[in-house]
Amino acid sequence: MKYLTLCLWLLVLAKAMPAVAANKTTPLLDYGDRKAPALWQSLRDLEDKKRQEPIRIIQLGDSHTAGDYFTGQLRQRLQNQFGNAGIGWLTPGYIINQRSSQVLLRSTGSWKLSDAKQHKHSGVFPVGGFINTSAGNSILEIKVKEVPATGQWRLNIWQNSRQTPWSLALPGGKVHKLPGQGDAKAPWRLSTQELDANKVSGLKLLAPSGGKLGGVILDRMAPGITLDALGNNGSVANVINRWDSSTLRNQLQWRNPQLIILAYGTNEAFGKDLVPETYEAELRQAIRSLRGAAPEAAILLVGAPSSAKSRPPHINVGCRVPLPPSLIKVQNSQRRIARQEGTLYWDWSAMMGGNCGAQFWLKQKTPFMRPDLVHMSPEGYVASADALYVALLDEMDKALKRLAVAQKN
């Protein structure tokens, strides 16, 4: 493998990881994803400076994604390797208990949030499952945590407004109107503004009364990687099936991702009455919907990570603290669906040393788990993302070598 830093990184990881998982690497498994070969070749071309178009990656998931510690580290590793194509797709405003590792979103005025995972909320939900509606005098301010990379940038918003367009106030006070593009009758329209790098931080979106915001995207107009972290705290994979199918198709065709990562399972694992057949049908439907909307994207299914639950209902499999009642059912179903649907698969729990791993991670000198034994510490998320990064590059390297041998024969 030509990545000279990989072996050094593995040595560092082996020292940093809990003893239960030390000196182990968890491979990325390819159960026959038809778009994986094109993904690996695109990554290699990007690395070799043969590709000028960015590669878009979208991760959909629960709180592990919504916190953007895991995705933030994975994004950083990929952008360091393949180039920085920008910040990517953000939630439509500040959402409690969620964060971005790249920007601070500050909402002022009156906003009403609709969340697809809550059945009391309704609407034509876009990708990500959030709708933020302005009730008047509403502003969304975007502050970038680090100095944006040089060059030209593009702001895109998915929005809906009646008559008055959205406006964008640049740092320094200049205001641009953002009229919607496309069908005026469509539930979601795209508005775009190109920006210099020094204008990216401090942007203010000025919302018309009744205007709906479905997503904010900040892309750098350069080759490289974007990794869109579209997590929904507390959600399950079936939330995808509540998103509007027409909007899903339109937005993913516009984004044109080459990889979609599905990182759900923790919340399903805590359900005491999970029926594997029902769960698998819902997961299968979500995967097929995404494939129909983004036919060029490989799908990576990430298995539910290790967690623990001291109070009943739970299951005891010999760990110091019992497991959530449906964790093993969920993990078995995820792997079964990955095989049946022909996706990529990565076993997060195996990377942690197995289903007792969360308990070992908590007891390390530098804890890799939080005391709730559900969420990881920042260090645990970093270690997890680094392991997935290595698995991605390792599978890319192996797949391209196999292809080269096949072409010679």
Side-chain angles (χ1 to χ4, degrees), residues 54-59 65 68 71-76 78-79 83-93 99-105 140-156 195-203 215-231 254-255:
I55 293 176
R56 308 294 188 199
I57 300 172
I58 298 175
Q59 179 161 318
T65 302
D68 203 24
T71 40
Q73 177 68 6
L74 183 59
R75 182 187 301 112
Q76 183 177 352
L78 290 169
Q79 289 185 340
N84 181 352
I87 291 169
W89 200 320
L90 304 166
T91 56
R99 69 180 283 276
S100 165
S101 68
Q102 303 176 95
V103 304
L104 294 171
L105 298 173
L140 174 62
E141 184 175 6
I142 304 168
K143 289 189 175 182
V144 180
K145 295 180 181 179
E146 297 184 1
V147 177
T150 59
Q152 287 295 111
W153 286 68
R154 180 180 289 125
L155 169 75
N156 296 285
L195 306 161
D196 292 328
N198 62 358
K199 300 293 185 182
V200 171
S201 188
L203 295 172
V216 177
I217 304 97
L218 273 168
D219 291 331
R220 182 170 175 249
M221 298 167 66
I225 298 284
T226 54
L227 198 167
D228 305 334
L230 295 177
W254 166 77
R255 195 61 172 160

Side-chain angles (χ1 to χ4, degrees), residues 275-283:
V275 178
E277 292 78 11
T278 301
Y279 172 65
E280 290 175 22
E282 293 169 348
L283 183 56

Side-chain angles (χ1 to χ4, degrees), residues 299-359:
I299 304 289
L300 167 56
L301 188 57
V302 174
S306 168
S307 56
K309 186 173 185 287
S310 59
R311 294 183 179 180
H314 52 215
I315 54 173
N316 196 330
V317 295
C319 303
R320 184 179 59 83
V321 182
L323 304 183
S326 298
L327 177 60
I328 294 175
K329 289 181 183 178
V330 166
Q331 292 167 334
N332 289 341
S333 289
Q334 288 174 324
R335 188 183 287 268
R336 187 156 45 241
I337 290 299
R339 288 194 183 103
Q340 292 175 0
E341 295 299 309
T343 73
L344 303 172
Y345 178 80
W346 188 69
D347 190 335
W348 196 346
S349 182
M351 175 265 164
M352 297 173 71
N355 278 332
C356 299
Q359 301 164 47

Side-chain angles (χ1 to χ4, degrees), residues 27-235:
L28 189 77
L29 302 177
D30 186 350
Y31 288 125
D33 194 297
R34 291 174 293 175
K35 297 302 176 180
L39 170 65
W40 307 135
Q41 188 60 59
S42 292
L43 287 168
R44 177 57 53 81
D45 289 345
L46 194 58
E47 184 182 42
D48 292 342
K49 313 299 183 186
K50 296 178 181 178
R51 178 187 172 98
Q52 297 304 309
E53 294 297 315
I55 293 176
R56 308 294 188 199
I57 300 172
I58 298 175
Q59 179 161 318
L60 307 172
D62 49 32
S63 56
H64 301 303
T65 302
D68 203 24
Y69 291 101
F70 177 83
T71 40
Q73 177 68 6
L74 183 59
R75 182 187 301 112
Q76 183 177 352
R77 296 301 299 268
L78 290 169
Q79 289 185 340
N80 287 345
Q81 183 76 36
F82 299 102
N84 181 352
I87 291 169
W89 200 320
L90 304 166
T91 56
Y94 170 73
I95 297 172
I96 191 169
N97 293 327
Q98 301 203 189
R99 69 180 283 276
S100 165
S101 68
Q102 303 176 95
V103 304
L104 294 171
L105 298 173
R106 180 170 177 260
S107 302
T108 59
S110 181
W111 293 90
K112 181 181 179 181
L113 183 71
S114 295
D115 181 343
K117 77 172 181 289
Q118 297 181 6
H119 286 273
K120 66 180 182 180
H121 290 165
S122 61
V124 181
F125 286 106
V127 171
F130 293 111
I131 302 171
N132 220 357
T133 304
S134 164
N137 299 317
S138 305
I139 299 173
L140 174 62
E141 184 175 6
I142 304 168
K143 289 189 175 182
V144 180
K145 295 180 181 179
E146 297 184 1
V147 177
T150 59
Q152 287 295 111
W153 286 68
R154 180 180 289 125
L155 169 75
N156 296 285
I157 65 170
W158 285 103
Q159 55 84 13
N160 179 290
S161 61
R162 298 188 183 100
Q163 299 293 331
T164 307
W166 289 70
S167 296
L168 177 68
L170 302 179
K174 189 174 182 180
V175 177
H176 292 271
K177 296 292 184 182
L178 296 175
Q181 304 157 10
D183 184 359
K185 296 181 180 179
W188 294 101
R189 303 176 72 195
L190 193 66
S191 293
T192 299
Q193 178 68 49
E194 294 190 5
L195 306 161
D196 292 328
N198 62 358
K199 300 293 185 182
V200 171
S201 188
L203 295 172
K204 293 182 179 179
L205 278 173
L206 312 179
S209 181
K212 296 179 179 180
L213 186 61
V216 177
I217 304 97
L218 273 168
D219 291 331
R220 182 170 175 249
M221 298 167 66
I225 298 284
T226 54
L227 198 167
D228 305 334
L230 295 177
N232 187 325
N233 191 27
S235 68

